[in-house]
Amino acid sequence: DVKAVARAFTGWTTHERAEDGFYFDPESHDADAKTILGHAFPAGRGIEDGLHVLGLLADHPATARFVCAKLCRRFVSDAPDPALAGVWLETGGKIRPILRALFTSEAFAASAGQKLRRPFDFFAGALRATGTEVLEFWLLEEMLGELGQVPYGWQPPNGYPDSAGAWLSTSGLLTRWNAAMRLSHGARSDPDWSWGLLSRLRAPEAATALELTERVSEEVFGSVLDGAALEPFVRYASDGAGPDEPVTRALLSRKLGSLYGLMLASPQYQWR
């Protein structure tokens, strides 16, 4: 089957003058008869061989199980629900009903906190939360390299892993903590002295340490953390004085950057 599929796709190539880059070269195609997954491919055909293969693969139950498992693993948990593959087979692989079934399922509704952010997701979210601008490409590449997920850096054809076991390690978490502090506490607001990281941290309007941590948690998590999860950050922001400690310019200068960094390094941020 592998050899026959390779023969079916002979002649499929690229051409710079083609509108979408794709070009079928009939002179390079193997037009002899083939058998693929038990299906007879008659001799004398051209691009139809490759299109026939794509149709067989799209309709194959193994494709439904494989793709639906990847969708569940990406959006719900590391233990995919096999029932989604049934929707694929019922609808002929139409993506809208498949995604509708996924995002309206009870499993998705209960999925908060089950997925570990992959390094690139973590880094993109940290940039969005802090507003920090990476001015030098080499620095961006260096930080992603330390985190372990440079785009297109995974050599096998299956893509970077999407399960916690591949990323959850002591060294992996340490690099995340370092990156969180580097993007927040370590960035500078003066472009001439930024060393490649330009800080654009937003100092929220807050009268007390509690209000400050609530506003920062909204920037980082998208919503205010509950009391138990917020309490350690309040204690840090107030130097242990409590939630009613007044926010002064001196307190902001000492605490704001590190407060962002600590939240980005927290367990609540690693698990989404």
Side-chain angles (χ1 to χ4, degrees), residues 4-271:
V5 166
R7 292 172 54 209
F9 283 112
T10 51
W12 288 51
T13 184
T14 60
H15 198 290
E16 59 183 14
R17 285 185 290 180
E19 183 177 350
D20 58 1
F22 171 77
Y23 176 70
F24 177 72
D25 181 6
E27 298 298 325
S28 301
H29 180 65
D30 180 345
D32 292 340
K34 310 166 188 70
T35 300
I36 299 175
L37 296 176
H39 293 258
F41 284 51
R45 298 201 305 182
I47 194 174
E48 298 85 0
D49 278 351
L51 296 175
H52 193 171
V53 170
L54 294 177
L56 289 177
L57 295 179
D59 294 334
H60 200 285
T63 303
R65 292 191 297 270
F66 179 77
V67 177
C68 289
K70 287 177 71 70
L71 287 170
C72 290
R73 191 178 298 112
R74 181 62 175 156
F75 292 107
V76 180
S77 73
D78 290 352
D81 181 0
L84 192 63
V87 181
W88 176 297
L89 296 174
E90 291 170 5
T91 61
K94 293 181 179 179
I95 193 63
R96 286 187 178 182
I98 293 168
L99 293 180
R100 185 179 296 112
L102 173 64
F103 293 132
T104 58
S105 66
E106 293 183 4
F108 179 76
S111 65
Q114 293 191 47
K115 287 295 300 180
L116 180 74
R117 291 177 187 263
R118 295 197 294 183
F120 188 85
D121 296 338
F122 162 83
F123 188 75
L127 286 175
R128 187 179 298 115
T130 60
T132 300
E133 184 177 352
V134 184
L135 302 179
E136 301 289 345
F137 179 79
W138 66 266
L139 182 57
L140 176 65
E141 191 173 31
E142 177 186 88
M143 295 182 74
L144 288 172
E146 292 172 350
L147 288 167
Q149 196 178 2
V150 177
Y152 308 109
W154 187 259
Q155 296 303 317
N158 57 350
Y160 281 102
D162 196 14
S163 59
W167 304 107
L168 192 58
S169 65
T170 303
S171 59
L173 289 176
L174 179 60
T175 56
R176 293 179 189 225
W177 300 340
N178 289 338
M181 286 301 178
R182 197 171 179 182
L183 293 176
S184 55
H185 187 72
R188 298 289 183 267
S189 57
D190 186 344
D192 295 330
W193 297 93
S194 65
W195 296 97
L197 287 176
L198 184 61
S199 175
R200 299 191 187 278
L201 281 184
R202 296 166 288 274
E205 293 186 8
T208 65
L210 176 60
E211 291 179 8
L212 175 64
T213 53
E214 287 177 339
R215 299 292 80 77
V216 173
S217 73
E218 282 184 310
E219 294 287 346
V220 173
F221 300 102
S223 61
V224 178
L225 293 175
D226 61 37
L230 197 66
E231 193 276 332
F233 301 111
V234 175
R235 190 167 63 248
Y236 168 77
S238 66
D239 286 325
D244 296 325
E245 177 70 7
V247 173
T248 63
R249 293 188 64 181
L251 184 144
L252 275 178
S253 66
R254 290 189 302 112
K255 298 292 186 176
L256 184 63
S258 297
L259 191 58
Y260 269 92
L262 288 172
M263 287 191 182
L264 291 169
S266 68
Q268 296 95 319
Y269 192 76
Q270 308 311 313
W271 294 89

